[in-house]
Amino acid sequence: MLKITKILTGRNVSVFLNNGERLLLTYETYSSLMLKSDMELESEVYLRLSDESSFLNCISRALSSLARGGKSVYEMRQYLKKKGFDEEIIERALIYLKEKNYLNDYDFAINYITRKMCSGKRGRGFIIRELLKKGIDRKSIDMAIKESGLCNVDMDLLYEMALKKYKSLKDKKNVYAKISSFLSYRGFDYDSIASVLRKLQEENKEDSDFYL
């Protein structure tokens, strides 16, 4: 029969068993079951303690990951699956993390958009695609875009990107088409791209290979 060999108290309670296993428990469980060293554990009690330990370890792993950087709910679910946690434990952990606001897809979207906007190197379309890949629903994305002001393209920054690309391609064929593809891939809308390319053509007095 399984027996407790040692108990250590700290932020939570660590219970060590004679099979080498370490269970992480809350003080509430520890106190309610009056756990102590050399105590033998019935199978039903062990299963309860093992389930709680898995849940707390899952929460601990999730919080450690969040301390290194934000994640969407979808990303956290995939992360915990890779760490080998049971799906039922993962879903319980995700509910807890959302209730405590450690996970919030809307806040995550706002922060993600803000970071990308600061760089000025990604447009609305690219950011939407990336957030969808991260499991954020379209309604939350649209709300976050509206709140963050991403609808307004920084035309000065966009022009600087186009000009830099132009300088690296100006001796090649189809320069403006290549610049357009370059900006489009980064998620900028057609009207904004067309506007900066017209300005670029006017300032360089060229209109040979791209028509808007």
Side-chain angles (χ1 to χ4, degrees):
M1 180 175 285
L2 290 174
K3 180 186 290 187
I4 297 174
T5 59
K6 182 171 63 174
I7 296 176
L8 296 177
T9 57
R11 188 171 185 178
N12 289 300
V13 179
S14 294
V15 174
F16 297 84
L17 306 181
N18 60 348
N19 65 352
E21 190 173 357
R22 170 181 172 267
L23 300 176
L24 188 64
L25 306 173
T26 64
Y27 273 91
E28 181 181 0
T29 298
Y30 166 66
S31 299
S32 65
L33 294 178
M34 295 183 287
L35 300 177
K36 58 185 178 180
S37 295
D38 295 326
M39 180 178 178
E40 293 184 341
L41 300 177
E42 298 290 341
S43 295
E44 183 178 340
V45 174
Y46 167 73
L47 290 175
R48 173 186 167 185
L49 299 183
S50 179
D51 180 76
E52 180 173 306
S53 181
S54 295
F55 175 72
L56 291 178
N57 278 306
C58 188
I59 292 295
S60 178
R61 185 60 67 93
L63 292 176
S64 294
S65 174
L66 289 171
R68 296 189 294 272
K71 278 184 169 61
S72 67
V73 173
Y74 171 78
E75 288 178 318
M76 182 59 76
R77 180 181 287 110
Q78 298 305 111
Y79 170 78
L80 294 174
K81 282 181 180 179
K82 289 180 180 179
K83 295 302 177 182
F85 291 101
D86 179 79
E87 287 191 16
E88 189 270 337
I89 293 292
I90 291 173
E91 293 308 312
R92 281 168 54 195
L94 292 176
I95 290 171
Y96 172 86
L97 293 167
K98 286 188 286 186
E99 287 177 347
K100 299 297 182 181
N101 209 38
Y102 290 117
L103 287 178
N104 185 312
D105 276 354
Y106 180 70
D107 288 346
F108 175 85
I110 288 285
N111 291 331
Y112 184 86
I113 291 168
T114 301
R115 290 198 308 273
K116 294 300 180 181
M117 284 176 65
C118 288
S119 73
K121 296 181 180 179
R122 292 292 183 266
R124 183 174 184 271
F126 179 91
I127 292 173
I128 289 173
R129 291 196 301 269
E130 289 300 300
L131 287 173
L132 287 172
K133 289 179 184 178
K134 294 175 182 295
I136 311 298
D137 66 272
R138 188 53 192 262
K139 182 178 179 181
S140 294
I141 293 173
D142 289 341
M143 290 173 61
I145 285 173
K146 184 177 180 181
E147 180 173 330
S148 65
L150 182 60
C151 297
N152 304 315
V153 177
D154 188 328
M155 297 302 292
D156 291 335
L157 281 175
L158 185 58
Y159 177 74
E160 288 177 12
M161 290 177 64
L163 180 60
K164 183 177 180 180
K165 194 67 176 176
Y166 171 79
K167 289 178 178 179
S168 70
L169 297 172
K170 65 179 180 179
D171 295 327
K172 300 182 183 297
K173 294 182 179 180
N174 304 315
V175 174
Y176 292 103
K178 290 176 180 177
I179 296 172
S180 178
S181 296
F182 170 77
L183 296 177
S184 179
Y185 175 76
R186 281 154 181 75
F188 294 101
D189 64 278
Y190 175 81
D191 289 340
S192 297
I193 294 171
S195 177
V196 297
L197 290 182
R198 287 194 187 97
K199 180 179 179 182
L200 195 61
Q201 285 178 310
E202 290 171 2
E203 293 192 355
N204 290 278
K205 299 180 180 179
E206 293 180 50
D207 57 6
S208 58
D209 68 349
F210 192 84
Y211 301 91
L212 301 172

